[in-house]
Amino acid sequence: MVERANKPKTLSSTPALPPQATVTFSDDNSRVIAELPTGERVEVLLYGATVISWKDASGDEKLWLSEAAKLDGSKAVRGGIPLVFPVFGSVPDHLKTKDLPQHGFARTSRWEFLGKSTSESLEGETTNDPSVKLDFGLSSGAPGLDPKAAAHWPYKFNLIYSVTLNRESLTTNILATNDDSQSFECHVLLHTYLRVNDITAVSVTGLGGAQYVDKVDSAKTKTQPTEGPLTITGETDRVYTPAENTVTVSEGSTEKYRVTRDKFSNVVVWNPWIDKAEGLADFAPKDGYRQMLCIEPGTVDSWQTVEAGDALAGAQTISLVG
């Protein structure tokens, strides 16, 4: 055998892989939990593919979840990030959705966990940003589909929902494909409950000059003032159509969240305040309205037509900035 002059030296040890994100199931297989090696964590209930918890590396919760929320699949979850499809609220005069549950069937069906993907930057890089993506699926004919959907939504469809956890952000992305031979109309919305410390100290920017429908005031169309941020001083339920893609939520002088939407035309801002919270059976504690604000990207001000074989997509990224 001829000896090579520059043959490679034997490695003294095998290089270790960088720490990996972990993905586990709860003991009852009702939820999927993903955790980054740096400690960030997200928990997704298969019922509704509802994100029910998102914690930063120090364990601080970023989403509000009602203490009375049903997590056993008996009803839609109050809090976290419920999925709204194919109808926002109830629309009695819309033939194809009028008999569906409020906010549709996506949040009242058991989704299938399709798998995970992870990525970590190489050792030695100036930034180390591990991430994990969880994929969930729901389709016509699936065993977990809400029976009301099968009875009242006469279309073949396929939904793919992805939840991506990064060190400083959470991204949720939904893709709705029409597998039918005819078009259908739908709404899509990500009903995100952000946790805050004190709603009276919260301000929202990125909505200045936007038109909105004020559902607390007889669905009148109004315009958000360009001067100053939006503050919450009573029951708030508004469907905005802003020009800017990012809404920023601050507490006092400190920015807390930036919610950036992609391919969604609307942002719903909701807080039930005192009287509405009292009337919601699954809203607890009753003064919990002080610790939450819903910033909900979606397309709900008009029906979106999805032609046969086409798809509708939308996403939000919630970034931590405080």
Side-chain angles (χ1 to χ4, degrees):
M1 178 181 293
V2 177
E3 288 289 325
R4 288 185 291 165
N6 296 313
K7 67 180 180 179
K9 296 180 179 179
T10 303
L11 294 174
S12 58
S13 63
T14 303
L17 291 172
Q20 302 285 309
T22 61
V23 176
T24 58
F25 280 85
S26 60
D27 291 340
D28 61 357
N29 289 322
S30 68
R31 61 194 70 180
V32 182
I33 303 101
E35 185 169 349
L36 299 182
T38 44
E40 294 80 3
R41 190 174 186 270
V42 67
E43 190 168 339
V44 185
L45 192 69
L46 289 178
Y47 182 74
T50 309
V51 180
I52 57 174
S53 177
W54 169 34
K55 294 181 179 179
D56 65 15
S58 63
D60 289 336
E61 181 61 62
K62 303 305 176 184
L63 300 176
W64 185 86
L65 182 69
S66 170
E67 294 176 4
K70 301 296 184 182
L71 304 180
D72 59 359
S74 61
K75 66 175 298 184
V77 176
R78 173 72 65 186
I81 310 179
L83 291 173
V84 173
F85 177 91
V87 60
F88 176 59
S90 298
V91 187
D93 60 352
H94 191 259
L95 180 63
K96 298 300 185 181
T97 62
K98 65 183 181 64
D99 295 320
L100 291 177
Q102 177 167 304
H103 291 331
F105 55 75
R107 66 179 190 151
T108 55
S109 297
R110 183 181 172 94
W111 292 57
E112 179 185 0
F113 177 56
L114 302 179
K116 67 169 184 176
S117 55
T118 62
S119 64
E120 290 79 21
S121 40
L122 297 174
E123 289 187 64
E125 295 287 336
T126 56
T127 60
N128 182 24
D129 190 20
S131 67
V132 58
K133 181 166 77 75
L134 308 174
D135 292 324
F136 304 87
L138 180 69
S139 61
S140 48
L145 186 65
D146 186 331
K148 293 181 180 179
H152 300 296
W153 180 254
Y155 303 106
K156 294 179 181 178
F157 67 91
N158 187 51
L159 303 179
I160 301 294
Y161 184 58
S162 300
V163 177
T164 303
L165 175 67
N166 288 284
R167 293 191 63 183
E168 300 294 336
S169 67
L170 184 74
T171 297
T172 58
N173 184 308
I174 187 165
L175 176 69
T177 302
N178 183 352
D179 291 336
D180 210 276
S181 59
Q182 58 183 318
S183 64
F184 62 68
E185 295 179 323
C186 66
H187 296 150
V188 184
L189 180 122
L190 306 173
H191 199 317
T192 307
Y193 289 72
L194 296 175
R195 176 173 286 276
V196 299
N197 296 315
D198 180 5
I199 191 62
T200 64
V202 167
S203 60
V204 182
T205 56
L207 300 172
Q211 283 197 333
Y212 66 92
V213 174
D214 191 342
K215 298 175 73 175
V216 176
D217 188 10
S218 304
K220 293 178 181 176
T221 299
K222 303 179 180 180
T223 301
Q224 182 67 31
T226 55
E227 298 297 325
L230 168 67
T231 57
I232 310 299
T233 57
E235 182 183 351
T236 303
D237 192 354
R238 302 176 177 182
V239 180
Y240 283 89
T241 307
E244 296 184 37
N245 289 328
T246 298
V247 170
T248 300
V249 177
S250 302
E251 284 203 66
S253 59
T254 303
E255 291 186 355
K256 192 174 182 75
Y257 305 105
R258 289 183 189 143
V259 182
T260 301
R261 70 188 193 282
D262 181 23
K263 298 179 182 177
F264 283 141
S265 58
N266 302 124
V267 174
V268 175
V269 179
W270 184 73
N271 183 287
W273 211 250
I274 301 169
D275 292 343
K276 189 67 173 287
E278 284 287 344
L280 296 172
D282 60 353
F283 195 99
K286 291 305 179 183
D287 64 354
Y289 71 90
R290 293 179 177 274
Q291 280 75 54
M292 54 75 62
L293 178 64
C294 284
I295 301 291
E296 313 166 31
T299 300
V300 297
D301 61 345
S302 62
W303 293 101
Q304 300 300 294
T305 300
V306 184
E307 300 293 342
D310 284 348
L312 179 69
Q316 69 169 350
T317 296
I318 312 167
S319 301
L320 305 178
V321 291

